[in-house]
Amino acid sequence: MSTNQKITLAKGLNMGLRKAMEDDDKVLLMGEDVGKLGGVFRITDGLQKDFGEDRVIDSPLAESGIVGTAVGMALRGYRPVIEIQFDGFVYPAYDQIVCQVAKYTYRSQGKVKMPIVIRIPFGGGIGAVEHHSESPEAQFAHTPGLKVVACSNPVDGYWMIQQAIAHDDPVIFLEPKRQYHADKAELDETATPEPLFTSRVVRAGTDATVLAYGPTVKTALKAAEAAATEGRHLEVIDLRTLSPLDMGPVLESVRRTGRCVVTHEAHVNLGMGAELAARITEHCFYSLEAPVLRVGAFDMPYPPSRIEEEYLPDLDRVLDAVDRTFAY
């Protein structure tokens, strides 16, 4: 039987979770509606039926309790994978994540591991109500002791979730919810995946570098396609890991192109783009032809869904920033 098949991001994550549970009976899933319902986005569909209620646990509506329980499980040698149903629901658990999950290994001088994966569907674009379209990644990337990664496509979803589960440090695993059922890609389960904490050039170019992660990778690729029709060749990098940042491919690219635009759905003010711009400026100062520019959400709460497309970075705003870098 062929191992290649076309999958969505939702399917890739589901298959990756299943594989991790098959490989290690210490892997447990927990969250609101992850069992019988299979999750609101159906990411855990069928897993409780196949692995039982002891390993796929429907939790109460209490995010702090979910994370606190996961800490206890990790202390007992389990590898809990917990789902925060929507990005905006993570804040009741923020105390547990920042004060316990992130610090336990350091506090115990490395004697206690916290192999917890916290899955968070993030970003907008699905016409949702308040608290359902947040981009809280910078708050976690700013917290020492946490690893933060963001998949952007079905194949990465399949491999990265397994790698995150196998990792001994706590991982905030960000999933772009608008991409769950959007695009399909061919998965080869026999392939060797890239290491988890690495960035990747997803489109080669010579004129400017565009950095993106999660939902804006697709936006950046569309911008590059549009720019190519006008003879401008943009290099697009999928960052994939936000903490730690993998700057090698980024710096190599910017030293060649001399121009860089960072795009994310989170607010520009103190977002991931600020850290990236600072590091690029520090390491590529003499290669830059223009300042590093950032394209993101406006500095305001997420708006009603009928105007969210005006709020989120799109192809035109990315291309406008690229044009501005050429104006210097």
Side-chain angles (χ1 to χ4, degrees):
M1 187 178 73
S2 171
T3 56
N4 289 32
Q5 56 178 304
K6 287 258 189 181
I7 60 166
T8 60
L9 175 58
K11 181 65 173 175
L13 291 164
N14 179 274
M15 291 172 64
L17 289 167
R18 178 179 292 277
K19 183 77 165 59
M21 296 184 76
E22 289 171 350
D23 291 348
D24 185 351
D25 61 10
K26 292 291 188 182
V27 176
L28 307 175
L29 309 186
M30 181 169 55
E32 298 162 9
D33 298 318
V34 300
K36 287 186 175 65
L37 182 66
V40 292
F41 295 105
R42 304 298 184 266
I43 306 303
T44 52
D45 190 38
L47 297 181
Q48 188 182 73
K49 176 174 157 291
D50 293 341
F51 292 98
E53 294 183 12
D54 290 340
R55 293 189 65 195
V56 183
I57 303 160
D58 277 318
S59 71
L61 303 183
E63 286 77 14
S64 181
I66 295 169
V67 176
T69 303
V71 171
M73 288 176 166
L75 290 172
R76 287 292 187 172
Y78 291 96
R79 308 186 82 87
V81 182
I82 62 176
E83 177 181 298
I84 303 296
Q85 197 170 71
F86 281 90
D87 34 42
F89 300 174
V90 76
Y91 297 110
Y94 193 72
D95 175 32
Q96 290 277 6
I97 294 169
V98 172
C99 296
Q100 306 299 334
V101 174
K103 293 181 171 59
Y104 227 118
T105 300
Y106 182 81
R107 184 189 302 150
S108 67
Q109 297 182 314
K111 295 182 181 69
V112 176
K113 304 297 184 190
M114 279 282 116
I116 300 172
V117 175
I118 301 173
R119 294 182 43 242
I120 305 177
F122 83 125
I126 64 165
V129 295
E130 192 179 25
H131 310 307
H132 290 67
S133 301
E134 306 296 318
S135 297
E137 58 269 21
Q139 296 172 59
F140 295 111
H142 189 64
T143 303
L146 298 177
K147 303 288 177 66
V148 184
V149 300
C151 58
S152 69
N153 63 76
V155 176
D156 272 357
Y158 173 76
W159 291 114
M160 289 172 70
I161 191 65
Q162 295 179 67
Q163 293 168 319
I165 293 168
H167 194 64
D168 280 338
D169 289 329
V171 178
I172 304 293
F173 195 92
L174 300 166
E175 304 165 5
K177 66 174 83 75
R178 72 155 82 184
Q179 286 298 113
Y180 274 146
H181 304 283
D183 301 310
K184 288 189 175 184
E186 189 166 290
L187 171 68
D188 178 2
E189 294 177 72
T190 66
T192 301
E194 295 168 66
L196 179 59
F197 302 110
T198 55
S199 54
R200 178 199 301 135
V201 176
V202 290
R203 182 183 175 110
T206 54
D207 297 332
T209 302
V210 180
L211 308 180
Y213 57 86
T216 55
V217 173
K218 185 174 180 179
T219 308
L221 288 169
K222 284 185 173 179
E225 287 176 23
T229 64
E230 299 176 358
R232 189 170 280 170
H233 303 289
L234 307 183
E235 182 145 295
V236 179
I237 296 180
D238 182 352
L239 293 169
R240 300 174 77 244
T241 173
L242 306 182
S243 182
L245 284 166
D246 177 27
M247 294 300 295
V250 173
L251 301 180
E252 189 279 329
S253 177
V254 175
R255 287 183 184 125
R256 278 189 293 103
T257 66
R259 294 174 171 83
C260 184
V261 171
V262 189
T263 181
H264 49 61
E265 286 194 8
H267 314 118
V268 169
N269 183 43
L270 296 177
M272 291 302 305
E275 178 65 23
L276 286 156
R279 292 201 199 185
I280 291 165
T281 302
E282 180 180 350
H283 294 286
C284 301
F285 186 73
Y286 291 107
S287 301
L288 287 170
E289 301 288 343
V292 179
L293 298 183
R294 294 168 290 163
V295 181
F298 301 110
D299 199 18
M300 56 177 279
Y302 201 90
S305 59
R306 65 166 54 186
I307 58 169
E308 69 178 345
E309 294 304 330
E310 307 299 322
Y311 173 82
L312 295 169
D314 60 10
L315 178 152
D316 289 331
R317 285 172 60 194
V318 172
L319 290 179
D320 177 65
V322 171
D323 288 344
R324 284 159 53 208
T325 69
F326 280 90
Y328 284 89

